[in-house]
């Protein structure tokens, strides 16, 4: 048994680790899930400037992704609809209506120049074997901006989940520039569907936001929905409005959907109903307003970590500096290698060193002759000298190139290389300033590229209070109570007790002193001659003092209990008085006077006595009552007005 338990534990941990790291949670470094990374890698490999059929891209990607086209196609469509790293051609679905994309064989895509700028550098990318060992795929791309914030992502893994809202790409880059400059920055979500967002509880990606649709109420008899809240489609919005209308929450005449490349849902209002009176109801009872909880969970250094938006920006600002430093150093080394070879070629050709190999009969002799020919020019070759690899390179120069060698052109090229090396050295000395300049160049490219649809901010940031449904709905439902049968509800043939809303909860104090709080019932039994029935509003009840006058079960002595009903569990029964006690009166007035009449007995001269309820302290619900006298009570008579005398 122990072996089986250990086997299950190990397999579960391996599966959980795989789902967390290799499927559901994005990596902080490049902001991508594995399937997205493999799609971009496939597009980089296939890139020739032309569009490719999505079906072909999917087929190519299957070399790296073991889960097949069922997971690749939807991920590619979602990635393309971000309008950042993939150019689209054809029907990729409708972000507003929720319509699906056409079949992969009908639509085309290609990687954008922005994706190459942000991700592509094979010489700095760490590579690993694909799942079948036949190919090499990137472990992580060296991303230069916090893609995880730009894209937004949602994923559910074993024991954890992530929900990162998308942010405006220009604002993200500007925040990165501010971070590198040592300035303060603030970053809020921006949604492709527009609308409004309240970020007062955003807490840098680990709280919640309130999103709203954009409404046009210029016509008092109709409402136009022109922008959607994040996470909704025109179909889901219309369905929620239709459901609210059927439930009587809002009164409309009809709904028309004119959405094409822009959202336009027309809500025609019923006769006598006006737009300004309906706005709050739309926010309260439909998807026009929603609360979204967020959780910024990413894979950082191979482990899941919850981060703040500012932490992500700071991490990527440092990462950008490291990547650009490596790129500059790599370019510098390549230029130095190229300069060294051009110097050797110039000397080899100008000084006719190649003439010295004409009499040599062996390969070793040829190599020694070339090296010997360079001895007078060792100062020009620099500390690297002439290696065997350098000799092999020189011997491979074709005769045509030697005969057509242009000394001036060669020297111009070497001057350009030296100038570039000098420029790189200057950048390396001021790497932060160079990083800021690079980011500003990306901003210019994005603004000048009309194909990138995430330039200007689409969502308006503002503060607004969440519309509470029970505060909007009218109390126009009749609550009836039949005191003889003991039934209470909206579907009871009794006397109208009060008007309530469908969201109200009802407090009923039964004849025996037991009370219950329930959702608005159609028909519920609370017993005949109930003492008290009211709406269970916590704010009101917290200021309401219940006074219960009752007769003790064993002695018959009158007792009084004053308390406040502050909390409850729905449909649970609570007792205000001891079990078996006889309740004589229940009152909610703060001050009142009452008379207790005692049961006549021999030698009992005083048959009644007056009391004032407000002379007794308010106690807890579980506390016992206070005895009024040591005489057996018969009944209680309460005065009609407050009596403080």
């Amino acid at each position: 048994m122990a072996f089986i338990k250990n086997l299950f534990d190990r397999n579960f941990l391996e599966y959980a680790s795989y789902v967390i790291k290799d499927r559901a949670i994005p990596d902080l470094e490049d902001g991508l899930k594995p399937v997205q990374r493999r799609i971009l890698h496939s597009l980089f490999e296939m890139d020739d400037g032309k569009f490719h059929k999505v079906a072909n891209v999917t087929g190519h990607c299957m070399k790296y992704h073991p889960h097949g086209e069922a997971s690749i196609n939807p991920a590619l469509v979602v990635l393309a609809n971000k309008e950042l790293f993939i150019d689209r051609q054809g029907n990729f679905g409708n972000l507003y209506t929720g319509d699906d994309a056409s079949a992969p064989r009908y639509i085309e895509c290609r990687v954008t120049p922005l994706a190459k700028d942000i991700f592509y550098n094979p010489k700095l990318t760490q590579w690993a074997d694909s799942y079948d060992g036949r190919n090499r795929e990137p472990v992580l791309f060296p991303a230069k901006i916090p893609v995880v914030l730009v894209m937004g992502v949602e994923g559910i893994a074993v024991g954890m989940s992530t929900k990162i809202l998308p942010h405006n790409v220009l604002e993200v880059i500007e925040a990165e520039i501010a971070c590198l400059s040592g300035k303060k920055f603030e970053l809020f979500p921006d949604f492709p569907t527009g609308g409004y967002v309240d970020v007062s509880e955003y807490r840098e990606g680990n709280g919640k936001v309130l999103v709203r649709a954009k409404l046009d109420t210029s016509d008092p008899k109709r409402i136009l929905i022109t922008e959607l809240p994040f996470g909704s489609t025109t179909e889901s919005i219309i369905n929620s409005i239709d459901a609210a209308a059927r439930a009587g929450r809002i009164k409309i005449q009809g709904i028309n959907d004119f959405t094409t490349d822009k959202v336009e849902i027309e809500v025609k209002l019923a006769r006598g109903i006006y737009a300004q009176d309906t706005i709050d109801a739309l926010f309260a009872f439909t998807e026009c307003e929603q609360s979204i909880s967020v959780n910024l969970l990413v894979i950082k250094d191979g482990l899941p970590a919850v981060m703040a938006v500012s932490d992500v920006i700071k991490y990527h600002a440092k990462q950008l500096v490291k990547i650009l430093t490596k790129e500059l150093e790599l370019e510098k080394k390549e230029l130095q290698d190229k300069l060294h070879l051009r110097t050797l070629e110039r000397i080899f050709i100008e000084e006719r060193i190649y003439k010295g190999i004409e009499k040599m009969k062996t390969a070793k002799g040829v190599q020694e002759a070339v090296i010997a020919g360079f001895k007078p020019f060792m100062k020009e070759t620099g500390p690297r000298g002439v290696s065997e690899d350098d000799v092999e390179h020189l011997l491979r120069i074709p005769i045509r190139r030697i005969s057509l060698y242009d000394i001036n052109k060669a020297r111009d090229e070497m001057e350009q290389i030296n100038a570039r090396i000098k420029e790189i050295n200057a950048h390396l000395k001021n790497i932060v300033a160079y990083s800021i300049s690079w980011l500003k160049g990306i901003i210019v490219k994005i603004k000048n590229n009309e194909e990138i649809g995430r330039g200007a901010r689409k969502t308006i940031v503002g503060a607004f209070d969440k519309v509470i449904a029970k505060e909007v709905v009218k109390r126009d439902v009749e609550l009836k109570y039949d005191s003889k049968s003991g039934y209470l509800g909206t579907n009871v043939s009794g006397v109208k007790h009060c008007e309530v809303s469908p969201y109200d909860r009802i407090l009923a104090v039964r004849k025996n002193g037991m009370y219950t709080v329930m959702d608005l019932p159609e028909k519920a039994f609370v017993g005949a001659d109930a003492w008290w029935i009211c709406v269970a509003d916590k704010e009101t009840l917290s200021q309401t003092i219940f006074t219960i006058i009752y007769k003790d079960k064993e002695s018959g002595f009158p007792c009084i209990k004053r308390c406040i009903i502050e909390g409850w569990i729905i449909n649970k029964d609570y007792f205000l008085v001891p079990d078996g006690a006889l309740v004589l009166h229940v009152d909610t007035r703060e001050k009142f006077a009452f008379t207790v009449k005692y049961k006549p007995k021999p030698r009992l001269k005083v048959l009644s006595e007056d009391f004032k309820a407000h002379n007794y302290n308010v106690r807890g619900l579980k506390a016992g009552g206070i005895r009024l006298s040591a005489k057996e009570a018969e009944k209680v008579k309460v005065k009609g007005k407050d009596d403080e005398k």
Side-chain angles (χ1 to χ4, degrees):
M1 290 296 293
F3 170 77
I4 295 176
K5 182 180 183 301
N6 291 335
L7 180 65
F8 271 96
D9 288 346
R10 185 174 68 252
N11 289 345
F12 175 76
L13 288 174
E14 289 178 356
Y15 170 74
S17 177
Y18 172 75
V19 171
I20 292 168
K21 293 178 61 178
D22 295 326
R23 282 179 63 180
I25 310 298
D27 198 285
L28 174 62
E29 188 164 330
D30 61 8
L32 301 173
K33 294 183 181 181
V35 65
Q36 295 172 326
R37 190 177 301 114
R38 288 161 179 160
I39 289 169
L40 285 176
H41 173 56
S42 298
L43 286 169
F44 287 140
E45 285 191 326
M46 300 173 68
D47 184 43
D48 58 2
K50 300 177 182 178
F51 282 98
H52 303 276
K53 290 286 188 183
V54 168
N56 291 338
V57 178
T58 301
H60 188 97
C61 187
M62 287 173 67
K63 295 193 300 183
Y64 307 108
H65 195 64
H67 303 292
E69 61 180 326
S71 60
I72 298 172
N73 280 333
L76 193 153
V77 169
V78 170
L79 195 58
N81 283 330
K82 299 292 183 180
E83 300 181 343
L84 284 170
F85 306 127
I86 298 179
D87 275 344
R88 307 171 299 173
Q89 188 165 276
N91 177 20
F92 274 75
N94 191 311
L95 188 66
Y96 302 129
T97 63
D99 293 339
D100 293 332
S102 297
R105 62 185 179 275
Y106 297 128
I107 54 179
E108 297 176 328
C109 67
R110 65 182 176 188
V111 73
T112 64
L114 178 65
K116 294 179 183 178
D117 290 334
I118 301 300
F119 296 110
Y120 191 66
N121 194 327
K123 295 177 182 178
L124 295 182
T125 303
Q126 182 182 351
W127 301 89
D129 290 334
S130 61
Y131 68 94
D132 60 0
R134 292 188 175 92
N135 300 280
R136 303 278 286 172
E137 65 174 319
V139 177
L140 292 168
F141 284 122
K144 296 171 184 167
I145 66 171
V147 176
V148 72
L149 296 180
V150 175
M151 299 268 288
V153 67
E154 186 172 356
I156 300 175
V158 178
M160 60 185 66
S161 65
T162 184
K163 188 173 182 68
I164 304 170
L165 299 180
H167 296 71
N168 184 273
V169 63
L170 295 179
E171 293 178 2
V172 169
I173 297 174
E174 286 167 357
E176 197 171 357
I177 292 173
C179 182
L180 289 168
S181 304
K183 299 177 181 178
K184 293 183 179 180
F185 59 89
E186 210 171 27
L187 204 56
F188 299 125
D190 181 30
F191 309 123
T193 53
Y196 295 89
V197 60
D198 184 340
V199 295
S200 55
E201 296 183 61
Y202 184 49
R203 298 207 300 270
E204 291 204 89
N206 293 291
K208 62 180 180 179
V209 297
L210 199 60
V211 294
R212 275 185 179 179
K214 187 175 182 181
L215 307 181
D216 180 357
T217 57
S218 56
D219 187 337
K221 289 302 297 174
R222 70 170 187 168
I223 296 175
L224 285 179
I225 301 173
T226 57
E227 292 181 10
L228 302 176
F230 180 67
S232 295
T233 63
T234 55
E235 183 179 0
S236 64
I237 287 279
I238 290 171
N239 289 340
S240 68
I241 295 174
D242 188 48
R246 288 199 304 270
R249 308 286 189 263
I250 57 176
K251 296 180 180 180
I252 64 174
Q253 186 177 351
I255 310 173
N256 296 313
D257 186 7
F258 302 115
T259 301
T260 52
D261 58 334
K262 292 183 179 179
V263 175
E264 187 176 351
I265 301 173
E266 179 190 47
V267 181
K268 290 185 177 180
L269 303 178
R271 181 176 296 180
I273 305 298
Y274 296 94
Q276 291 300 325
D277 303 326
T278 312
I279 293 175
D280 284 347
L282 279 177
F283 289 145
F285 302 116
T286 73
E287 286 190 9
C288 288
E289 178 181 282
Q290 296 183 72
S291 179
I292 301 174
S293 297
V294 291
N295 179 36
L296 209 165
L297 177 73
V298 294
I299 302 298
K300 180 184 179 184
D301 300 328
L303 296 173
V306 176
M307 301 184 69
V309 169
S310 58
D311 294 333
V312 174
I313 295 292
K314 291 173 184 176
Y315 177 91
H316 272 275
K318 293 178 181 178
Q319 178 170 295
L320 174 66
V321 172
K322 291 179 182 178
I323 293 172
L324 292 179
T325 300
K326 289 180 180 179
E327 286 186 349
L328 290 172
E329 289 175 345
L330 180 62
E331 184 184 358
K332 179 182 176 180
K333 183 180 181 304
E334 290 175 346
L335 288 172
Q336 287 173 336
D337 291 342
K338 187 176 181 181
L339 181 63
H340 177 69
L341 291 175
R342 292 294 179 268
T343 302
L344 295 180
E345 289 173 1
R346 179 184 61 79
I347 297 171
F348 184 72
I349 296 172
E350 287 183 9
E351 304 299 332
R352 298 179 180 272
I353 293 175
Y354 57 86
K355 289 287 186 179
I357 68 174
E358 293 177 351
K359 299 178 181 180
M360 300 299 159
K361 297 181 179 180
T362 63
K364 186 176 181 181
V366 171
Q367 191 177 68
E368 290 175 350
V370 173
I371 294 175
F374 272 97
K375 285 184 179 180
F377 311 100
M378 294 306 289
K379 290 184 179 180
E380 294 184 54
T381 60
R384 292 177 60 170
V386 183
S387 66
E388 293 182 1
D389 291 337
D390 293 336
V391 173
E392 289 297 321
H393 170 75
L394 294 171
L395 293 175
R396 285 196 294 267
I397 297 176
I399 298 296
R400 179 178 298 176
R401 185 177 167 193
I402 293 175
S403 62
L404 298 177
Y405 188 72
D406 189 334
I407 296 175
N408 293 328
K409 183 178 179 182
R411 295 196 177 194
D412 288 343
E413 182 183 3
M414 292 170 67
E415 286 178 5
Q416 290 174 7
I417 292 173
N418 280 317
R420 178 56 184 164
I421 291 174
K422 186 178 180 180
E423 186 180 2
I424 289 173
N425 288 332
H427 290 330
L428 288 171
K429 288 181 181 178
N430 301 280
I431 189 62
V432 173
Y434 174 71
S435 301
I436 293 173
S437 175
W438 186 90
L439 288 172
K440 289 181 177 178
I442 292 296
I443 289 177
V444 172
K445 287 183 180 180
I446 292 174
K447 288 183 176 180
N448 292 338
N449 190 350
E450 296 180 356
E451 294 178 354
I452 296 178
R454 295 295 307 282
R457 166 168 277 276
K458 294 185 177 181
T459 304
I460 299 173
V461 178
F464 45 85
D465 295 327
K466 182 175 177 60
V467 179
I468 307 300
K470 64 181 181 181
E471 294 178 358
V472 175
V473 69
K474 294 181 179 180
R475 286 183 169 171
D476 53 4
V477 179
E478 290 187 355
L479 178 65
K480 299 177 182 178
Y481 174 58
D482 188 340
S483 60
K484 292 183 179 179
S485 67
Y487 282 100
L488 171 74
T490 58
N491 195 21
V492 173
S493 58
V495 179
K496 175 184 172 182
H497 183 76
C498 63
E499 289 188 344
V500 295
S501 78
Y503 292 93
D504 283 336
R505 287 170 174 170
I506 308 302
L507 167 68
V509 181
R510 293 175 169 84
K511 189 175 182 180
N512 60 356
M514 183 173 68
Y515 76 89
T516 308
V517 175
M518 66 191 81
D519 290 322
L520 181 64
E522 290 187 4
K523 188 175 183 180
F525 183 75
V526 297
D529 300 322
W531 283 109
W532 200 265
I533 297 171
C534 67
V535 175
D537 178 48
K538 286 190 176 182
E539 185 176 349
T540 303
L541 289 178
S542 65
Q543 301 174 4
T544 302
I545 299 173
F546 281 83
T547 302
I548 305 98
I549 305 169
Y550 64 93
K551 179 178 177 181
D552 185 69
K553 178 182 178 182
E554 296 181 358
S555 64
F557 297 158
C559 301
I560 185 171
K561 178 179 177 179
R562 306 189 78 210
C563 60
I564 296 175
I565 299 175
E566 294 180 312
W568 54 78
I569 297 174
I570 298 297
N571 297 325
K572 182 177 179 179
D573 296 331
Y574 298 88
F575 280 93
L576 291 172
V577 297
D579 189 22
L582 177 63
V583 179
L584 301 175
H585 182 71
V586 176
D587 211 306
T588 58
R589 289 178 293 174
E590 187 175 348
K591 296 179 180 181
F592 69 94
F594 61 93
T595 301
V596 177
K597 293 190 176 182
Y598 301 118
K599 187 175 181 180
K601 287 187 177 182
R603 299 180 183 179
L604 183 63
K605 296 180 180 179
V606 179
L607 295 179
S608 65
E609 195 171 354
D610 294 333
F611 299 92
K612 295 177 181 178
H614 49 276
N615 287 342
Y616 299 90
N617 292 330
V618 177
R619 308 175 75 179
L621 275 170
K622 295 183 179 180
I626 300 172
R627 190 175 69 182
L628 294 172
S629 72
K631 303 172 185 177
E632 186 177 355
E634 186 175 31
K635 61 181 180 178
V636 169
K637 183 178 180 182
V638 180
K639 296 185 179 182
K641 294 182 179 181
D642 293 353
D643 185 3
E644 300 183 27
K645 296 180 180 180

